[in-house]
Amino acid sequence: MKNTSLSPKKVIKNQVPSWQVYCKEIWHYRSLLRTLTFRDLKVRYAQTSLGLLWVFIQPLITLLIFTLVFNIAIKIDTQGIPYPIFAFSGLYAWHYFSLVVNQGGVAILNAHSLVTKIYFPRIILPLSKALVVAVDFLINVLLMAGVMLYYAYTPHKNLIYFPLWLIALLVASLGCAIGLSALSVRFRDFQPISRFGLQVGFYLTPIAYPPTLIPVQYHLLYYSNPMAGITEGFRWMIIGGKLSPYVGMSLGVAVGIFILSGWYFRKTERLLADIV
């Protein structure tokens, strides 16, 4: 008698791997991450007349403009802190954030020929931009030290918290860059929106002025900008003082953006090669 029973069926599902598996995969492709980073560094600094010197000039010019406008013309009260130290202690954190968001947000779009040809974790592209911009950040740290030496200013003992605030800066920067890189592939309008958002965010972040100039009733809205609290934290490390109780809110928003961006990126990653 013929057996008519059905054999078991195997169902293959296109599931998103767990974070543990995904992190192992990124580590497996670390050589590609290293190659992309060194390639971008070479292209960035070898094909310009000023080269690495431009990384020094740009923040110094910005600091000079800030000093002329906010210190000499408007006379912002910095409570006895030399204004260049006050401004630059927040500027170098924002500079890293804006560069990572600008370059990381278009990382997948600019690498469309690579994305459509071979498989690798696409998140490596914005991660490589964050590593490239780290060179700018390190140079800005040296400039910050140079400004303090010029004014014979001794940093506050809060400087020991630098690694913690650096992690917060990385979380905020990568969170925005990773989310924007995925959104920009599907919705191209996000590129001009992000550029405009960075311009607005620059003035809504306490870089050139102290956050005490913002009325207390608006602090809840003001510190919903993650870089408001992070920039204040970087300044607090250098000059001391008290942190606003709303700084924790900024850190929470940064972590929330990072988690949401990571979730959205992994959800849409397998479709990026088809629509880039």
Side-chain angles (χ1 to χ4, degrees):
M1 183 176 178
K2 187 177 180 180
N3 186 4
T4 57
S5 62
L6 298 176
S7 59
K9 294 182 179 180
K10 292 183 179 180
V11 179
I12 300 176
K13 295 182 179 180
N14 187 13
Q15 296 180 338
V16 177
S18 65
W19 274 108
Q20 184 179 4
V21 174
Y22 193 65
C23 290
K24 288 182 179 179
E25 191 174 32
I26 295 173
W27 176 253
H28 178 72
Y29 282 89
R30 63 188 182 278
S31 59
L32 176 60
L33 175 61
R34 183 169 56 249
T35 299
L36 292 174
T37 301
F38 282 114
R39 183 203 65 179
D40 288 349
L41 284 171
K42 183 177 179 181
V43 170
R44 184 178 182 186
Y45 298 119
Q47 295 185 357
T48 59
S49 300
L50 294 176
L52 195 62
L53 185 62
W54 177 246
V55 183
F56 288 89
I57 295 174
Q58 186 177 2
L60 289 177
I61 291 177
T62 304
L63 181 61
L64 176 62
I65 295 173
F66 275 11
T67 303
L68 291 174
V69 174
F70 293 97
N71 186 41
I72 297 178
I74 302 179
K75 299 185 182 300
I76 293 291
D77 182 16
T78 60
Q79 299 181 347
I81 307 297
Y83 185 81
I85 293 177
F86 176 87
F88 205 78
S89 61
L91 179 62
Y92 75 102
W94 173 266
H95 186 65
Y96 178 80
F97 172 80
S98 62
L99 286 177
V100 172
V101 174
N102 265 327
Q103 298 183 22
V106 295
I108 296 178
L109 284 175
N110 290 344
H112 60 89
S113 58
L114 181 63
V115 170
T116 55
K117 288 180 180 178
I118 62 172
Y119 171 78
F120 60 93
R122 312 306 187 197
I123 201 170
I124 283 179
L125 293 169
L127 285 178
S128 68
K129 301 301 180 182
L131 291 176
V132 170
V133 178
V135 175
D136 295 63
F137 182 78
L138 291 175
I139 290 174
N140 281 325
V141 170
L142 294 177
L143 288 175
M144 181 76 248
V147 172
M148 288 190 293
L149 284 173
Y150 178 82
Y151 285 95
Y153 186 87
T154 302
H156 197 271
K157 61 182 180 180
N158 293 337
L159 193 62
I160 62 174
Y161 295 102
F162 179 82
L164 297 179
W165 286 105
L166 179 60
I167 292 173
L169 178 62
L170 290 172
V171 168
S173 304
L174 285 174
C176 292
I178 290 170
L180 182 61
S181 65
L183 286 169
S184 297
V185 173
R186 303 193 69 180
F187 311 101
R188 302 303 169 95
D189 289 342
F190 270 92
Q191 275 309 301
I193 291 174
S194 67
R195 288 193 292 269
F196 177 73
L198 285 173
Q199 292 176 0
V200 174
F202 180 80
Y203 295 103
L204 294 180
T205 302
I207 301 171
Y209 59 88
T212 52
L213 293 181
I214 306 299
V216 177
Q217 61 267 32
Y218 297 115
H219 277 199
L220 184 64
L221 178 62
Y222 183 76
Y223 282 95
S224 62
N225 166 18
M227 284 305 295
I230 292 173
T231 300
E232 185 176 337
F234 270 83
R235 179 173 291 134
W236 171 79
M237 288 189 305
I238 302 295
I239 66 178
K242 290 185 178 181
L243 285 174
S244 169
Y246 290 96
V247 166
M249 177 181 174
S250 291
L251 296 177
V253 172
V255 173
I257 292 174
F258 183 79
I259 294 173
L260 184 61
S261 295
W263 169 82
Y264 180 78
F265 190 95
R266 293 186 63 215
K267 181 182 178 182
T268 59
E269 184 175 12
R270 63 184 183 274
L271 305 175
L272 296 179
D274 298 326
I275 58 178
V276 69

